[in-house]
Amino acid sequence: MDQTGSDRLKTALLLLAVAGLVMGLGFYLAGEAKIADLFWTAGVLPALAALVIEILRSLSRGEVGLDIVAALSMTAALIFGETLAAAVVAVMYSGGTFLESFAEGRARREMHALLSRVPRTATRHRNGGLEDIPLDEIAPGDRLLIRQGDVVPVDGAVASEAAFVDTSALTGESLPVRLMRGAEAMSGATNAGEAFDLTALRPAKDSTYAGIVRLVAEAQASKAPMSRLADRWSLGFLLVTVAIAFAAWWVSGDPIRAVAVLVVATPCPLILAVPVALVAGLSRAAHFGVLIKGAGPLETMARIHTLILDKTGTLTDGRPQIVSIARADATSEDEILRVAAALDQASKHPVAQAVVAAAKSRGLVLPVPTEVAEFAGEGVVGNVEGRRVIVGGDGFVARRVGRVSGAASSMAAGSVLVAVAIDGHMVGHLVMSDPLRDGTGAMLDGLRREGVRRILLATGDRADVAERVTEGLGLDGVRAGLTPDQKVLLVLSERKRGPVMMVGDGVNDAPALAAADVGVAMGARGAAASAEAADVVLLVDRIDRLVPGIEIARAARRIAVESVVAGIGLSVVGMIAAACGYLTPVQGALLQEAIDVLVILNALRALRINPRALSPVSLQGPLPIDLGQQKKSVA
């Protein structure tokens, strides 16, 4: 049965149980006890049948859960004629499973909305025109049009003069790379420049992206299932319950006492309090932009000891920014930036757009450029206020002003230089880099306060870039130049130390997210594959949400445990009273209801969790890549 069918079944079972209980009470109060028994029994049997099937499935997997206690109490109550008690137990049990299903269903709906933007078609040249086709219909040799902003659908060779693609989701490189005619572009990369043609080299199912998807599937299959908090208490509580029930029957000779014990023992504090507290925790986390896909991930999130962070788009902003302006003459920094930004208004290149944004943030007024000519992947030439301006790579500008390119040698690792020349004279360079998100250091300190003992960086970028970016952060390790399968190996090795959380945003992070105990994806701008593979999605582009997310998870779990301990303690007292003959099955069911109300009220405190970790901080040249090697190691 699919997940939707399972959710509908749980809803139907709850409605039947409630209807049977209510209608039975109506006939009982009207003096029709026999008809009331029929309605109570009719409400119990569907829930009991579903419960028995679930128990058999669990036992076939070698799992012993709380379902057995609930099944025993309902069965014993029906056998010995205590149908009202059985009906109350059926309502309590089906209500608990419905709450869990409701929480997980809401998370799935939000995820489907998040991923609905993923393209499923490609544009192919055919008979002098263009046609949109499903990805599965792409064949080797097909000529595809990749528009600006499109995701490359299959591995292929660039058929245009040049192409600029953003491979950050695949390789961790934060700045776009230039591919010349004949160079191979990997599926999953994004066209960051003008439209270009691509000749498909292999079908979609055999492309780089498909290989990463297979890694995700393998990682999820090898991942140990998350055990629910309730199940970890189940075996001990089951043994205590059965022992007290049989002892009561053995000593008194009255089977009704055993039924009363089982009814009181129905683990409703576990069945109800745990999902209520965790559902409240899920709701509270979502309020702060942290979408957790169910109670299991939330429980595990509360026990995380090791955190592995991706770099580009996760620890860093993922978008180039100007970090300094190097002057070559008396021209002021603002003038260099203003003239460069004015010309770059005519370009859609990500670096050009970053230059324009930087100028506007300084309040600079940008004139409209004229006679603009853009050289794809190299630079822009045009007139600004009657002056001839050239903006682009250092080599591109140097060749046009008659000087030797040499400034790049002094560029910091991971940076790119944008040269600016006015009227044939080099006036300076804009130094651009992908900086750390604001407040990163404070966020890491907050994570350590929340019990995260070990924090590592795992990136596909170069080692010198990774080390420069993370300098001074106090990380426990930096692993650079990693392919997707190597990230998975890192996660698996770290899991030997304790539960591991992996945070990433790119396609290359998806397998590691699936392999981790808790995978966290940057959903606001991250790749759909990573969001699909993750257990947690940050719906806002703020990695500092991790700290309140973990704090909420820990608080919700703590409240759930408190509710369980208090509820089970009261239940044990009630079981002893029932064993001594002081409670009938119906009285035991009513006592259990009172206990349920108390533990549920306590569990609802999770709705008022107020993370102290919240802060007002706002988060926010192309490097050569051996694309062939990257593709080989991924696939």
Side-chain angles (χ1 to χ4, degrees):
M1 180 185 299
D2 61 17
Q3 191 62 52
T4 301
S6 176
D7 292 345
R8 289 175 179 171
L9 175 61
K10 290 175 182 177
T11 303
L13 292 176
L14 175 60
L15 292 176
L16 289 172
V18 171
L21 176 62
V22 172
M23 295 185 70
L25 285 173
F27 279 103
Y28 182 81
L29 294 175
E32 300 290 343
K34 291 184 178 180
I35 299 178
D37 285 341
L38 291 177
F39 275 102
W40 287 331
T41 302
V44 171
L45 289 178
L48 181 58
L51 188 53
V52 170
I53 293 173
E54 184 59 34
I55 290 172
L56 293 176
R57 289 175 178 170
S58 298
L59 292 176
S60 68
R61 298 191 298 265
E63 300 172 0
V64 178
L66 291 165
D67 302 339
I68 295 177
V69 180
L72 284 175
S73 63
M74 282 189 272
T75 302
L78 289 178
I79 290 175
F80 294 103
E82 298 290 340
T83 52
L84 174 57
V88 173
V89 173
V91 169
M92 290 187 294
Y93 182 81
S94 56
T97 57
F98 172 80
L99 281 173
E100 286 187 303
S101 176
F102 173 78
E104 293 173 0
R106 182 182 62 185
R108 286 194 303 273
R109 287 192 297 274
E110 293 184 18
M111 275 304 301
H112 290 322
L114 180 67
L115 300 177
S116 62
R117 67 180 189 271
V118 179
R120 306 294 181 189
T121 62
T123 302
R124 180 173 64 184
H125 290 275
R126 176 60 61 88
N127 299 326
L130 295 172
E131 62 178 356
D132 289 334
I133 59 171
L135 296 188
D136 292 342
E137 293 184 13
I138 298 175
D142 283 349
R143 190 180 180 95
L144 308 175
L145 174 65
I146 312 299
R147 299 184 178 92
Q148 186 177 52
D150 283 355
V151 175
V152 178
V154 297
D155 294 341
V158 176
S160 300
E161 286 300 320
F164 263 83
V165 294
D166 179 358
T167 62
S168 59
L170 295 169
T171 66
E173 293 284 357
S174 57
L175 298 174
V177 295
R178 186 185 186 198
L179 304 178
M180 302 306 295
R181 182 187 294 274
E184 185 169 340
M186 291 184 291
S187 58
T190 302
N191 181 11
E194 300 299 326
F196 68 92
D197 287 345
L198 182 83
T199 302
L201 295 179
R202 52 187 67 89
K205 65 183 180 65
D206 297 327
S207 292
T208 299
Y209 186 86
I212 292 178
V213 171
R214 284 192 291 272
L215 275 177
V216 172
E218 292 168 5
Q220 289 177 327
S222 63
K223 182 175 178 177
M226 296 178 180
S227 59
R228 295 186 306 168
L229 173 65
D231 290 337
R232 291 194 289 274
W233 292 71
S234 59
L235 185 58
F237 187 74
L238 173 62
L239 294 176
V240 170
T241 298
V242 172
I244 295 177
F246 274 98
W249 191 353
W250 179 271
V251 173
S252 67
D254 183 4
I256 300 300
R257 290 196 183 187
V259 174
V261 169
L262 292 174
V263 169
V264 175
T266 300
C268 292
L270 285 170
I271 294 171
L272 292 175
V274 171
V276 166
L278 298 184
V279 167
L282 295 175
S283 176
R284 195 62 176 157
H287 178 74
F288 294 106
V290 182
L291 174 64
I292 305 175
K293 300 181 187 178
L298 184 138
E299 288 185 42
T300 307
M301 194 172 178
R303 300 183 292 112
I304 290 301
H305 291 160
T306 300
L307 174 67
I308 300 176
L309 293 164
D310 174 48
K311 181 181 73 68
T312 303
T314 303
L315 201 61
T316 65
D317 188 62
R319 292 172 288 196
Q321 297 180 21
I322 295 177
V323 295
S324 66
I325 299 177
R327 299 161 54 194
D329 63 10
T331 308
S332 68
E333 291 186 4
D334 278 357
E335 181 62 10
I336 294 172
L337 177 58
R338 187 184 74 88
V339 171
L343 183 59
D344 273 342
Q345 291 177 104
S347 174
K348 293 184 178 181
H349 192 282
V351 173
Q353 294 301 304
V355 171
V356 174
K360 290 182 176 179
S361 69
R362 293 194 184 191
L364 301 178
V365 178
L366 306 181
V368 178
T370 59
E371 299 182 23
V372 178
E374 181 169 8
F375 299 83
E378 295 188 284
V380 186
V381 178
N383 293 334
V384 176
E385 296 177 330
R387 294 180 291 178
R388 192 64 173 170
V389 178
I390 307 172
V391 179
D394 188 64
F396 171 79
V397 177
R399 289 193 301 272
R400 281 160 176 75
V401 299
R403 56 167 287 182
V404 177
S405 174
S409 61
S410 62
M411 183 173 57
S415 299
V416 62
L417 287 182
V418 176
V420 183
I422 301 176
D423 290 334
H425 175 68
M426 187 81 75
V427 296
H429 293 83
L430 308 177
V431 183
M432 307 193 70
S433 184
D434 182 17
L436 286 174
R437 293 178 183 269
D438 291 339
T440 297
M443 179 205 70
L444 296 179
D445 291 340
L447 289 170
R448 293 194 188 277
R449 285 196 302 272
E450 288 301 319
V452 179
R453 304 172 193 158
R454 185 170 166 81
I455 302 178
L456 306 174
L457 180 76
T459 178
D461 212 340
R462 301 182 325 192
D464 56 344
V465 176
E467 290 171 2
R468 182 188 64 82
V469 168
T470 59
E471 185 177 358
L473 290 181
L475 299 180
D476 297 295
V478 175
R479 308 289 187 269
L482 301 182
T483 56
D485 48 347
Q486 290 171 335
K487 286 188 177 183
V488 171
L489 291 176
L490 175 62
V491 168
L492 296 179
S493 65
E494 289 296 327
R495 284 180 64 186
K496 298 174 183 178
R497 302 172 182 264
V500 173
M501 174 185 284
M502 170 73 192
V503 187
D505 76 321
V507 176
N508 62 334
D509 299 317
L513 296 178
D517 295 284
V518 176
V520 181
M522 303 292 291
R525 288 192 288 124
S530 62
E532 188 71 59
D535 304 296
V536 179
V537 179
L538 303 184
L539 297 177
V540 291
D541 191 32
R542 296 177 56 131
I543 194 174
D544 71 339
R545 298 289 110 167
L546 273 180
V547 184
I550 291 178
E551 187 178 346
I552 289 171
R554 293 188 190 281
R557 186 178 185 276
R558 182 177 63 252
I559 290 171
V561 171
E562 291 171 355
S563 300
V564 166
V565 171
I568 292 300
L570 293 173
S571 293
V572 170
V573 172
M575 289 161 59
I576 294 174
C580 295
Y582 296 117
L583 292 174
T584 65
V586 173
Q587 291 171 337
L590 294 176
L591 174 62
Q592 188 61 64
E593 284 285 6
I595 294 173
D596 292 342
V597 171
L598 291 176
V599 298
I600 288 174
L601 289 175
N602 184 67
L604 287 173
R605 290 192 299 118
L607 287 172
R608 300 194 302 272
I609 297 173
N610 189 24
R612 64 181 182 278
L614 275 179
S615 69
V617 177
S618 178
L619 301 178
Q620 306 192 337
L623 303 176
I625 304 175
D626 184 352
L627 294 174
Q629 179 60 37
Q630 285 284 349
K631 179 191 72 60
K632 179 179 179 182
S633 52
V634 170

